[in-house]
Amino acid sequence: VLVRLQRHCQERVYQRTAQTAKESEQQRSLLRGQRIIHQVCEMIEKEYRHPGFSLQDAADGVSLSAGYLGRLFKQTAGQSFVEALTACRLKAAARMLVETDTPVAVISREVGMENASYFSPVFRKAYGMSPSLYRETNQSATQKQQEGETKE
């Protein structure tokens, strides 16, 4: 009975050790993946203006295959690389629409979306209004806010 109890205890210790090692490896893998995705997000922030910037370019930048990086990005960031790139481009475009009077077609090119007729529906889907209406609405809201700050 004592021998069986001893073996049982040894097996439990071995199982817990193996489980702890597996969990540690999973945590290291997760952290490694998060660091890679952070690097890729920084690349997106720097390169979104280039129309040809692609998943392959990002993968080359972090020395991974495009397929693996695409899966890792989706798993870690919760969205695809293309969705993240598009969101970055649209965020920059929205800022430019409010802060400048640059024509929409020029803004679309400046944020890496060469086809303005593609840019407008993508923008509308993300922001719920056309780029022109977004500019009009937000520039007037910004002006009213600035006027209120000036009066105070």
Side-chain angles (χ1 to χ4, degrees):
V1 175
L2 189 57
V3 171
R4 265 195 296 186
L5 183 59
Q6 189 177 13
R7 265 192 238 144
H8 176 73
C9 287
Q10 288 173 343
E11 287 175 17
R12 297 280 294 165
V13 167
Y14 174 76
Q15 288 172 349
R16 286 188 181 162
T17 303
Q19 184 174 354
T20 302
K22 184 178 178 183
E23 288 170 358
S24 293
E25 179 55 36
Q26 288 172 338
Q27 287 174 340
R28 281 192 299 274
S29 178
L30 179 62
L31 289 173
R32 199 168 34 248
Q34 288 172 339
R35 279 193 300 270
I36 290 168
I37 297 311
H38 180 73
Q39 280 181 277
V40 172
C41 288
E42 286 179 342
M43 257 188 265
I44 288 172
E45 287 290 327
K46 291 176 186 171
E47 302 294 332
Y48 73 88
R49 290 175 189 85
H50 302 288
F53 183 64
S54 67
L55 177 61
Q56 184 62 57
D57 296 325
D60 291 344
V62 292
S63 302
L64 295 173
S65 74
Y68 178 73
L69 178 59
R71 287 188 302 277
L72 181 65
F73 199 98
K74 179 81 173 184
Q75 178 184 353
T76 306
Q79 63 181 343
S80 72
F81 172 84
V82 171
E83 289 168 337
L85 177 59
T86 301
C88 183
R89 286 174 169 164
L90 292 177
K91 181 179 171 186
R95 188 180 66 250
M96 291 174 73
L97 285 165
V98 174
E99 295 174 358
T100 72
D101 289 325
T102 306
V104 173
V106 173
I107 289 175
S108 72
R109 284 192 303 276
E110 287 183 7
V111 299
M113 299 176 86
E114 291 184 311
N115 186 341
S117 61
Y118 170 72
F119 170 76
S120 291
V122 171
F123 188 93
R124 181 187 306 271
K125 184 176 180 186
Y127 286 89
M129 62 183 79
S130 70
S132 299
L133 182 57
Y134 182 88
R135 168 180 274 157
E136 184 181 310
T137 303
N138 288 284
Q139 276 185 340
S140 62
T142 302
Q143 288 170 349
K144 285 179 184 176
Q145 183 182 18
Q146 289 171 348
E147 288 171 5
E149 290 172 1
T150 306
K151 290 179 183 178
E152 294 176 6

